[in-house]
Amino acid sequence: MPVRTSLLVSCTAQPFEAGLDEAGRGCLAGPVFAAAVILPADFTSPLLNDSKQLSARQRAVLRPQICAVAVASAVGQASVEEITHLNIAQASYLAMHRAVAALAVSPTHLAVDGNRFKPLAGFPHTCVVGGDGLYRHIAAASVLAKTFRDEHMEELAAAFPAYGWQQNAGYPTASHRAAIRAHGPSPHHRMSFRLL
């Protein structure tokens, strides 16, 4: 891993290093998504940042740019049933493993946002707390995971409009909890979570 000397540096120390991040870990409904991204070393974008620091419009601009320039990128997910069976941490690792497995180019190293990761055989890794605000490839993964998950929740919202998932993406907002109280949980709610 490179020394963290400035915001959003490139990953030049490891060729074909993949950045990994997840989205939806703290949600009350829907799957957890993860993305893996290998960027070219010379990729730059003044807009790229941790997806949580970007507007929906900025993320929508970045997503096709990332997909177009990436050496490889992939998205994985773990279902509500898997979250219930495994717990959210293990399901997040599973989603990340699936994203890595789906990459068209095999990464030489994984840079994982956060402080923990379940090792994936054959892939050395480094965990980076706050990595999505430090490294371009992790930030790019955060954008893909967030946008693909939000898109999925918008699709689910069409069938379950009462919960406002097109706005809250399944996160525990006051209006989301009020809708659960009024209508009960849907098949997409995580029953192992405290919904109310």
Side-chain angles (χ1 to χ4, degrees):
M1 293 289 294
V3 177
R4 288 183 277 176
T5 56
S6 63
L7 182 67
L8 294 183
V9 297
S10 182
C11 52
T12 56
Q14 294 279 350
F16 300 120
E17 181 177 77
L20 271 72
D21 201 5
E22 54 75 25
R25 187 164 172 157
C27 291
L28 302 180
V32 61
F33 274 60
V37 179
I38 302 173
L39 288 177
D42 60 353
F43 173 75
T44 60
S45 170
L47 195 57
L48 185 61
N49 200 349
D50 169 10
S51 65
K52 296 184 292 296
Q53 304 301 318
L54 301 171
S55 67
R57 181 184 295 272
Q58 289 171 323
R59 291 191 295 267
V61 168
L62 276 168
R63 177 169 138 180
Q65 291 179 0
I66 293 166
C67 292
V69 304
V71 174
S73 65
V75 175
Q77 62 177 289
S79 68
V80 170
E81 293 76 17
E82 288 169 325
I83 292 168
T84 300
H85 178 68
L86 297 171
N87 76 43
I88 186 59
Q90 295 301 317
S92 297
Y93 303 148
L94 177 60
M96 289 184 182
H97 289 186
R98 286 171 173 165
V100 171
L103 287 170
V105 175
S106 183
T108 55
H109 188 267
L110 308 177
V112 184
D113 183 60
N115 62 354
R116 293 183 183 178
F117 181 66
K118 183 176 181 179
L120 183 56
F123 298 97
H125 74 274
T126 302
C127 292
V128 186
V129 176
D132 49 4
L134 294 168
Y135 296 108
R136 293 173 190 153
H137 54 347
I138 303 179
S142 79
V143 169
L144 294 194
K146 172 68 174 166
T147 56
F148 276 94
R149 187 180 188 280
D150 285 356
E151 188 175 86
H152 179 77
M153 294 306 295
E154 288 174 9
E155 292 170 359
L156 294 182
F160 296 88
Y163 304 101
W165 292 333
Q166 69 279 8
Q167 277 98 30
N168 63 50
Y171 283 92
T173 63
S175 61
H176 187 187
R177 289 191 190 275
I180 297 170
R181 191 174 293 110
H183 302 282
S186 75
H188 300 289
H189 278 98
R190 302 174 182 176
M191 298 307 294
S192 56
F193 280 42
R194 184 175 296 183
L195 300 181
L196 297 176

